[in-house]
């Protein structure tokens, strides 16, 4: 069978999975689970992979991680492609408006209770990869290599007291054998439906979680002079963070966002501590150390100006998602075949993160964005809403939505990338 025939067959089989993929996606959307709590999601995935008769289904990897192994007909020592989907949801209310919107609440999660929703679209990722497993299992005797279906927990970051995520999967031996010769990941994004965006270089930035604890001296709210109020010190840190951007070249953007403040005080108690939780993002990894140094200096000295102290910790560091030139060059024909030349577009870098970088950085590979919203591209290539559509809504927003009609495109992307890599057509010719 020629490669054209098998590509057609992959498409036909992908189309056949549409109803199931949509049903899985809706089920997962309705039953989201937070990072490191993906128990039922992982069970659904593992049951499906077993039903497909994969050679091996490894479960419980770094928490609830699942790896399905599908050995094709090629000789041992052939290529190995790792297709990755993340499974976790977010502590965000679901206002997406679909009739399968989530009403889930996780009452026991650290810091909770939290409403839980798939505001990052990982329900789509999981369903698409289950669809791809179905497609590729159907042509296993014609696969000249091995496919690893990697269902990853805790992409959004585990609770700070826990380990988890992509690096933890590597450390748990998920890829000990066979070792991937390529990793592939994608993310649903506010981009025109069915468009595939890629960037040579860092597609996503380097990320680290930051915790700043500002410590004062607890006292009655009526006598602030008897203690040390950590609140204005925390305010000064927050305000000062707004100037950090200007200390780093604007041509390689950074952001420092404090998204959560914890205060142990009360309306009539000046608390002992205020804790700021945030994230530091750098488009270029080498800026991270400098931004951290400046942020630490800022926090410590701002707090000191108010008679308080500050301690700063950096946790859960994730390297940038890097697409090398040779891998992109090798992958473009595949991407164009799947969605059409005109829908494969170069995108800008973003300061999002995705810890699939732990896989792509180790094994080589490719990462793309998949558009899932009512949008079009303007003359400068930026996504803009289409009239009568639901608008552009970013990931992590309670209104984030992803339309079902792009799910099969995701299934096809996985299947075509996997086949082409195993067949030797999608391989970086000179590694960059
Ligand atoms: Zn996310
Ligand atoms: Zn995500």
């Amino acid at each position: 069978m020629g490669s054209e025939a098998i590509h057609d067959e992959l498409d036909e089989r992908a189309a056949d999975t549409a109803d199931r993929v949509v049903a899985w996606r809706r089920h997962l959307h309705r039953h989201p689970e937070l990072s490191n709590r993906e128990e039922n999601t992982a069970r659904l995935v593992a049951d499906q992979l077993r039903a497909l008769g994969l050679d091996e289904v490894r479960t419980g990897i770094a928490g609830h991680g699942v790896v399905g192994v599908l050995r094709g007909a090629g000789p041992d020592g052939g290529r190995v492609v790792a297709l990755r989907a993340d499974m976790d949801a977010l502590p965000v209310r679901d206002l997406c408006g679909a009739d399968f919107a989530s009403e889930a609440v996780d009452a026991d999660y650290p810091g909770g209770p939290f409403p839980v929703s798939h505001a990052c679209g990982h329900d789509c990722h999981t369903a698409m990869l289950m669809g791809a497993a179905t497609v590729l299992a159907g042509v296993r005797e014609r696969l000249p290599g091995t496919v690893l279906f990697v269902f990853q927990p805790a992409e959004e970051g585990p609770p700070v007291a826990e380990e988890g995520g992509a690096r933890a999967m590597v450390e748990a031996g998920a890829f000990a054998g066979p070792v991937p010769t390529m990793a592939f990941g994608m993310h649903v994004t506010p981009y025109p439906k069915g468009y595939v965006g890629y960037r040579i270089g860092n597609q996503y930035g380097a990320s680290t979680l930051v915790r700043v604890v500002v410590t004062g001296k607890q006292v009655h709210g009526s006598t602030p002079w008897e203690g040390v109020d950590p609140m204005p010190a925390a305010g000064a840190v927050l305000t000062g963070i707004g100037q950090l951007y200007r200390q780093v070249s604007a041509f390689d953007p950074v952001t420092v966002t404090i998204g959560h403040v914890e205060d142990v005080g009360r309306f009539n108690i000046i608390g002992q501590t205020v804790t700021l939780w945030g994230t530091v993002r750098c488009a270029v990894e080498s800026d991270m150390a400098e931004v951290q140094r400046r942020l630490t200096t800022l926090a410590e000295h701002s707090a000191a100006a108010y008679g308080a102290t500050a301690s700063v910790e950096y946790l859960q560091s994730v390297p940038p998602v890097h697409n090398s030139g040779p891998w992109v060059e090798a992958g473009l024909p595949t991407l164009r075949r799947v969605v059409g030349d005109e829908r494969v577009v170069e995108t800008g870098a973003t300061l999002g993160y995705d810890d699939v970088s732990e896989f792509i950085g180790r094994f080589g590979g490719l990462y793309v964005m998949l558009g899932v919203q009512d949008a079009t591209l303007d003359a400068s290539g930026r996504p803009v809403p289409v009239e009568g559509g639901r608008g552009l809504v970013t990931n992590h927003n309670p209104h984030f939505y992803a339309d079902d009609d792009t799910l099969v495109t995701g299934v096809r992307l996985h299947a075509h990338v996997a086949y082409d890599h195993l067949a030797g057509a999608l391989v970086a010719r000179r590694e960059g």
Side-chain angles (χ1 to χ4, degrees), residues 81-84 181-187 196-201 203 321-336 344 354 356-357 359-361 363-369 413-414 416-418 420-421 426-428 431:
V81 65
L83 306 174
R84 180 275 209 160
T181 51
M182 174 189 186
F184 176 67
M186 69 174 113
H187 208 297
V196 167
Y198 70 92
R199 180 173 192 270
I200 296 171
Q203 176 98 50
V321 175
H322 185 83
N323 276 329
S324 77
W327 273 109
V328 170
E329 204 180 304
L332 280 174
T334 305
L335 303 177
R336 289 178 176 141
V344 177
D354 190 327
V356 74
S357 57
F359 305 154
I360 294 173
F363 309 122
L366 202 55
Y367 187 82
V368 299
M369 321 296 299
L413 280 169
H414 275 303
H416 282 243
V417 165
D420 288 356
H421 178 66
L426 198 176
V427 178
E431 186 47 297

Side-chain angles (χ1 to χ4, degrees), residues 87-403:
M87 301 188 287
D88 53 331
L90 285 165
V92 172
R93 197 171 302 285
D94 192 340
L95 302 177
C96 78
D99 58 8
F100 52 89
S102 162
E103 291 172 8
V105 174
D106 189 328
D108 305 321
Y109 206 69
F114 291 114
V116 186
S117 77
H118 271 296
C120 206
H122 299 182
D123 52 334
C124 302
H125 301 168
T126 301
M128 292 186 302
L129 189 54
M130 288 165 73
T134 309
V135 169
L136 291 167
V139 296
R140 66 190 305 165
E141 70 285 356
R142 277 168 284 158
L143 288 179
T146 299
V147 188
L148 304 179
F149 301 98
V150 181
F151 293 88
Q152 184 207 307
E155 190 279 332
E156 300 285 0
V160 285
E162 300 175 21
E163 296 292 316
R167 194 182 308 158
M169 282 191 89
V170 173
E171 286 164 359
F175 304 101
V179 177
T181 51
M182 174 189 186
F184 176 67
M186 69 174 113
H187 208 297
V188 293
T189 197
Y191 223 66
K193 282 183 212 172
Y195 275 64
V196 167
Y198 70 92
R199 180 173 192 270
I200 296 171
N202 286 354
Q203 176 98 50
Y204 277 177
S207 168
T208 187
L209 186 157
V210 58
R211 171 168 56 192
V212 181
V213 181
V214 181
T215 303
K217 183 179 169 211
Q218 185 161 328
V219 70
H220 197 288
S222 65
T223 55
W225 56 88
E226 300 282 355
V228 175
D229 188 349
M231 191 72 84
V237 175
L238 277 172
T239 305
I241 283 173
Q243 289 296 312
L244 282 175
Y245 307 94
R246 304 184 61 242
Q247 299 170 10
V248 185
S249 166
F251 295 99
D252 294 315
V254 303
T255 61
V256 182
T257 290
I258 300 297
H260 182 54
V261 179
E262 277 172 18
D263 175 22
V264 301
R266 188 171 181 270
F267 77 94
N268 60 356
I269 296 173
I270 289 171
Q272 182 81 9
T273 60
V274 173
T275 303
L276 310 177
W277 295 92
T279 186
V280 182
R281 305 292 171 89
C282 297
V284 175
E285 196 171 18
S286 55
D287 283 338
M288 184 58 92
E290 177 66 5
V291 175
Q292 290 185 0
R293 190 186 66 74
R294 288 178 185 273
L295 175 55
T296 299
T297 303
L298 170 78
E300 289 174 353
H301 290 256
S302 300
Y306 288 81
T309 58
S311 64
V312 185
E313 284 172 281
Y314 300 97
L315 312 160
Q316 299 184 359
S317 291
V318 176
V321 175
H322 185 83
N323 276 329
S324 77
W327 273 109
V328 170
E329 204 180 304
L332 280 174
T334 305
L335 303 177
R336 289 178 176 141
R337 182 196 318 122
V338 174
V339 298
D341 290 7
E342 68 289 354
R343 291 195 196 85
V344 177
V345 292
E346 234 176 316
T347 57
T350 85
L351 290 172
Y353 84 70
D354 190 327
D355 67 353
V356 74
S357 57
E358 298 282 0
F359 305 154
I360 294 173
R362 273 176 182 77
F363 309 122
L366 202 55
Y367 187 82
V368 299
M369 321 296 299
L370 176 62
V372 290
Q373 294 189 353
D374 300 327
T376 184
L377 296 181
D378 70 10
S380 57
R382 292 209 178 100
V384 288
V386 291
E387 211 162 317
R390 299 171 63 190
L392 286 167
V393 188
T394 60
N395 305 65
H396 293 206
N397 182 295
H399 297 276
F400 177 78
Y401 72 98
D403 275 334

